[in-house]
Amino acid sequence: MADSLASQIAQNLVLADTPAIHVDEVKGNDQTGKGTIESPLKTTVSAVAVLEAIPANVQSSFSIVVKKDGETEYKDISGAALKKAKKTHEINKKKAQKNEERGAKEEAAVAAKAHEEARKLEDSKKIKLEQDPSLPAPVEVKLKDVPKNLEKRVKVSGWVKSRRDQGKDMVFLVLRDGTGYLQCVLTGKLCHTFDALTLTLESTVNVYGIINRLPEGKTAPGNVELVADYWEVVGKAPGGDDAYSSLFNTESNPDVLRRLRHLVLRGDTASSVLKVRSRTMKAFRDHFDSLDWYEVNPPCLVQTQVEGGSTLFALNYYGENAYLTQSSQLYLETCLASLGSVYTISESFRAEKSHTRRHLSEYSHCEAEIPFIKFKDLLDTIEGMVKGVVARLWDEPETRKMLVELNLRKNDEANDETKAAQIVGRDFADIKSLIEQPFLRMEYKDAIKWLNEHGVKREEDGKDFVYGDDIPEKPERYMTDAINKPILLTHFPRSIKAFYMQRADVSELKGYEDFMHDPPTESVDLLVPGVGEVVGGSMRIWDTEELMDAFVREGLNPETYYWYLDQRRYGTMPHGGFGLGIERFLAWITNRFSVREVCLYPRFTECCQP
């Protein structure tokens, strides 16, 4: 018990003229007890401390009474118990005194250290660095090119990713500039400047010096290091509570990570994801270029819907109604007669209030249209594209290395064990191996049958799925993960697909006798393990009258689509196309939990910043 508390209790007992200090070993409390029968202490050691605090002239009139567990009355403390309590109290006093002395020493040491650091900081302001004019002029290089400049004097610039102080006269900095990483060694006077002593992570610096191969047994990025002869701060980042390392970590809530997305982007994982994204976009373009397809850039501001009016973002366009495009498909179709097969990688927008890990309000949409093909050609084209793009990424060593690391690295948004269990333990080589096999081709009606045979029920009523149901994300992903291979799911009923999809020729199909009330379409979704749907496509209605019937059936005004109808009037032909969600594709190949992790700045419900 603290001396101050014991003294307060003793004073109150003396004032109240209560000669007994009460101890109840069951109901007492040494922190809140007052030593009275109504508010007893808990231990005899605390009672001894109170007794000692009572003035010597009245101390002899006070006694300690104890109620033990199972007893109903207070009894005088025994001589042996009093002797033991006094001994324990003396030991506690000595410990407290030692702790007080130790605390005072530690406090003095902290104060001395702070004083010494303040002195060093003040002295450091007097140290000025200057370049040695006798040294060779430096070659300015990006960090990725440093290994090509061994034993040359260079100038590098970048952000301080990490620092490590070794003794008083050596500091190791690891810089990052977006192209690579480099270890820099500061020695002697270079370590003692004010900037060196106060350098914070994410500060930007210029460093000059010689590039050396790393000594054997040491490790650093690229197995090289820069031994500095001069350096300077370009922009110093905050320290203390505002330091970069204090703002978030890998365990931070996803909402925090999104609010600080502009800083999260500096991390290794986010950087690798965005680099892979850039390489993936290039791989798609290279694939289409290899087919001699042309890239076009359709408008984002439109006055027609493609995928249903409920997901349109509406806006006032100079007094007219307009929308952000849901898809560039209709415009791509207008290019077929002049350019042949075409594609675009553009932004699409869906006002869909789906707060799932695979939905975005704005996403990058890779779409293509191909003239004079059959449905089988379309399926082959989609399969060939996915295999071709993954092969290109695999064949590029740096990209393959990043993909291998990302597939083994923790996800930003999978920060609990339940989520993490869904996305760990995969090698990128598994994907490469998976797509080298033929994709499974399954008709929608057979998917309904598979779900029912495997006991997967409709969430809304717990009943079996029936033909005409739109298969939700969860059961779709369950089926895909269980089969564990890419699935080209085909021939969806007309009622759950877009108005422009071509009706299938049932004479070439089997088992549709009972489903002609809702005929199948020549439509396809590509489903991949871990994500679900990444591609949606179909053959397009190419007969003018059939398309007019579709407009009527869907309640659309044909006049708004006059230009789309003209594609049928002026030389129609069988054609088809598809749309691939870049973010879903990336989430698949990088093994990210959410499509939000593969965007620069994700946009979804209630998120439009930063």
Side-chain angles (χ1 to χ4, degrees):
M1 177 178 285
D3 290 346
S4 58
L5 178 59
S7 297
Q8 183 63 50
I9 294 173
Q11 182 180 357
N12 291 338
L13 291 174
V14 171
L15 291 174
D17 194 21
T18 304
I21 305 170
H22 293 75
V23 175
D24 188 328
E25 294 182 349
V26 176
K27 297 181 180 180
N29 191 303
D30 287 342
Q31 281 70 48
T32 60
K34 299 177 181 177
T36 64
I37 193 170
E38 296 85 4
S39 180
L41 299 173
K42 187 174 182 65
T43 65
T44 54
V45 175
S46 294
V48 167
V50 171
L51 183 63
E52 186 180 82
I54 293 174
N57 61 329
V58 294
Q59 192 177 96
S60 60
S61 62
F62 281 80
S63 64
I64 298 174
V65 293
V66 182
K67 186 197 290 185
K68 297 182 177 293
D69 187 10
E71 296 181 350
T72 58
E73 296 182 354
Y74 286 95
K75 297 179 181 179
D76 288 337
I77 188 171
S78 68
L82 180 61
K83 182 178 180 181
K84 182 179 179 181
K86 287 182 175 180
K87 183 177 181 180
T88 302
H89 175 58
E90 289 301 317
I91 292 173
N92 290 345
K93 283 203 304 182
K94 290 179 181 179
K95 285 182 179 178
Q97 183 178 356
K98 285 184 179 180
N99 288 337
E100 186 176 346
E101 291 172 354
R102 186 183 300 113
K105 287 181 180 179
E106 290 175 353
E107 188 175 333
V110 169
K113 184 179 179 181
H115 178 75
E116 177 61 17
E117 288 178 351
R119 184 193 64 76
K120 284 174 63 178
L121 274 179
E122 196 60 35
D123 289 346
S124 71
K125 295 177 182 178
K126 302 172 185 176
I127 301 174
K128 304 298 179 185
L129 300 180
E130 294 182 357
Q131 291 201 61
D132 185 345
S134 67
L135 294 175
V139 179
E140 291 193 31
V141 297
K142 296 292 185 183
L143 298 190
K144 69 180 179 64
D145 296 323
V146 162
K148 302 174 186 177
N149 290 272
L150 282 173
E151 300 180 1
K152 293 181 182 178
R153 186 169 187 259
V154 301
K155 172 191 174 183
V156 297
S157 302
W159 288 259
V160 178
K161 182 179 184 295
S162 67
R163 72 170 288 170
R164 176 170 57 90
D165 292 32
Q166 186 168 308
K168 296 181 178 180
D169 293 312
M170 185 174 290
V171 173
F172 292 91
L173 303 179
V174 174
L175 304 189
R176 179 194 72 245
D177 73 347
T179 72
Y181 301 89
L182 174 66
Q183 177 171 284
C184 301
V185 186
L186 310 182
T187 58
K189 185 178 179 181
L190 301 181
C191 303
H192 300 151
T193 66
F194 181 79
D195 281 339
L197 297 180
T198 60
L199 187 64
T200 49
L201 299 186
E202 292 305 313
S203 295
T204 44
V205 296
N206 296 327
V207 185
Y208 301 72
I210 303 295
I211 299 296
N212 291 331
R213 199 176 297 279
L214 209 64
E216 190 173 345
K218 303 295 183 180
T219 58
N223 291 317
V224 298
E225 64 183 6
L226 185 154
V227 179
D229 56 59
Y230 177 77
W231 74 285
E232 59 191 354
V233 172
V234 177
K236 185 171 288 186
D241 292 340
D242 291 328
Y244 178 81
S245 57
S246 300
L247 298 177
F248 59 88
N249 56 46
T250 56
E251 302 302 320
S252 294
N253 186 286
D255 290 336
V256 173
L257 297 177
R258 285 193 288 275
R259 184 174 61 82
L260 298 175
R261 180 67 174 167
H262 55 294
L263 297 177
V264 172
L265 293 176
R266 301 183 179 205
D268 292 344
T269 298
S271 174
S272 293
V273 167
L274 291 178
K275 287 176 181 177
V276 168
R277 181 186 175 107
S278 176
R279 300 284 173 80
T280 300
M281 302 284 252
K282 181 179 184 298
F284 274 106
R285 289 189 165 95
D286 288 346
H287 174 77
F288 294 132
D289 284 349
S290 73
L291 301 176
D292 289 330
W293 291 12
Y294 288 101
E295 181 175 10
V296 294
N297 303 104
C300 287
L301 292 171
V302 300
Q303 291 187 308
T304 52
Q305 70 182 52
V306 182
E307 300 295 336
S310 63
T311 63
L312 285 168
F313 280 109
L315 54 92
N316 184 315
Y317 187 73
Y318 303 111
E320 296 183 71
N321 291 327
Y323 314 98
L324 294 177
T325 185
Q326 301 164 313
S327 166
S328 296
Q329 175 208 318
L330 306 189
Y331 291 93
L332 289 177
E333 290 186 53
T334 67
C335 301
L336 297 180
S338 58
L339 299 175
S341 297
V342 292
Y343 75 96
T344 188
I345 301 180
S346 306
E347 298 305 289
S348 286
F349 304 84
R350 302 280 172 93
E352 188 175 3
K353 295 183 179 179
S354 296
H355 211 276
T356 75
R357 62 188 178 110
R358 69 175 195 173
H359 281 92
L360 292 166
S361 298
E362 176 186 357
Y363 64 98
S364 296
H365 208 175
C366 175
E367 299 181 87
E369 291 294 319
I370 315 106
F372 297 107
I373 62 168
K374 296 180 179 179
F375 187 47
K376 181 182 180 303
D377 300 326
L378 178 64
L379 301 184
D380 291 342
T381 298
I382 294 172
E383 182 170 346
M385 173 189 66
V386 171
K387 289 182 174 181
V389 168
V390 171
R392 289 175 189 276
L393 296 174
W394 178 268
D395 290 341
E396 208 290 303
E398 185 180 352
T399 305
R400 180 169 70 247
K401 182 175 183 292
M402 288 189 290
L403 282 166
V404 169
E405 291 174 350
L406 285 169
N407 272 269
L408 298 174
R409 194 177 293 166
K410 184 182 182 297
N411 285 236
D412 291 341
E413 295 211 0
N415 58 350
D416 64 55
E417 291 183 4
T418 302
K419 291 180 179 179
Q422 302 177 47
I423 45 79
V424 296
R426 190 182 80 179
D427 193 320
F428 182 62
D430 295 341
I431 289 182
K432 181 65 166 56
S433 176
L434 203 63
I435 67 160
E436 287 174 345
Q437 308 301 317
F439 290 3
L440 176 65
R441 302 192 179 192
M442 175 189 284
E443 293 180 19
Y444 161 87
K445 64 178 178 58
D446 296 323
I448 294 293
K449 182 180 178 182
W450 190 98
L451 292 171
N452 293 335
E453 288 177 346
H454 288 78
V456 182
K457 304 295 183 181
R458 296 191 303 200
E459 188 173 327
E460 63 270 20
D461 58 14
K463 295 181 179 179
D464 282 352
F465 284 91
V466 298
Y467 185 90
D469 285 342
D470 194 356
I471 302 174
E473 174 192 352
K474 188 175 180 180
E476 176 188 84
R477 207 170 60 240
Y478 174 81
M479 179 183 71
T480 309
D481 292 351
I483 294 173
N484 194 32
K485 61 172 60 178
I487 303 171
L488 288 163
L489 191 59
T490 64
H491 298 95
F492 291 85
R494 183 173 64 187
S495 63
I496 61 173
K497 283 299 180 179
F499 73 91
Y500 51 77
M501 294 190 178
Q502 178 69 47
R503 178 172 170 170
D505 183 355
V506 292
S507 66
E508 299 178 357
L509 302 172
K510 296 179 180 179
Y512 283 89
E513 296 80 8
D514 298 331
F515 305 131
M516 293 315 296
H517 62 285
D518 193 1
T521 57
E522 290 188 323
S523 53
V524 58
D525 284 352
L526 173 61
L527 314 178
V528 297
V531 175
E533 180 192 347
V534 294
V535 179
S538 76
M539 297 299 290
R540 316 309 192 189
I541 295 175
W542 57 289
D543 179 79
T544 305
E545 291 186 6
E546 188 178 345
L547 185 57
M548 286 294 293
D549 291 341
F551 284 137
V552 172
R553 185 177 65 249
E554 299 297 329
L556 301 173
N557 181 5
E559 293 181 5
T560 307
Y561 294 85
Y562 73 92
W563 51 275
Y564 188 62
L565 283 165
D566 278 351
Q567 305 310 307
R568 279 72 181 164
R569 294 177 61 212
Y570 293 90
T572 191
M573 75 296 182
H575 62 286
F578 59 84
L580 173 143
I582 293 290
E583 285 78 14
R584 290 189 186 181
F585 183 85
L586 284 165
W588 175 46
I589 65 171
T590 61
N591 201 22
R592 298 296 91 192
F593 179 76
S594 168
V595 292
R596 298 168 190 168
E597 293 182 69
V598 298
C599 301
L600 183 63
Y601 290 102
R603 295 290 181 258
F604 53 95
T605 51
E606 301 178 0
C607 179
C608 203
Q609 281 189 334

